[in-house]
Amino acid sequence: MLKAPTRSDPRFLDAVLDDSMIEFGKSGFEYDKRSILAALTDSRNSQRPTIIWR
């Protein structure tokens, strides 16, 4: 997921992320698989990614 081609590939992401995964952002927000998939795959159509991994 660190490389742009796989990070924006919805089929790859769907295969490697567990359906019940939850990410807790630095801001305290929770992100589920569906929101992560939407944000990462939408970021390929914009110049700035929706989610920044640190």
Side-chain angles (χ1 to χ4, degrees), residues 1 6-21 33-34 36-38 40-41:
M1 288 185 42
T6 54
R7 187 173 51 243
S8 62
D9 180 350
R11 287 181 285 170
F12 171 78
L13 293 171
D14 189 43
V16 299
L17 296 177
D18 189 78
D19 291 338
S20 63
M21 67 85 59
K33 179 179 178 177
R34 186 177 51 127
I36 294 292
L37 286 172
L40 290 176
T41 56

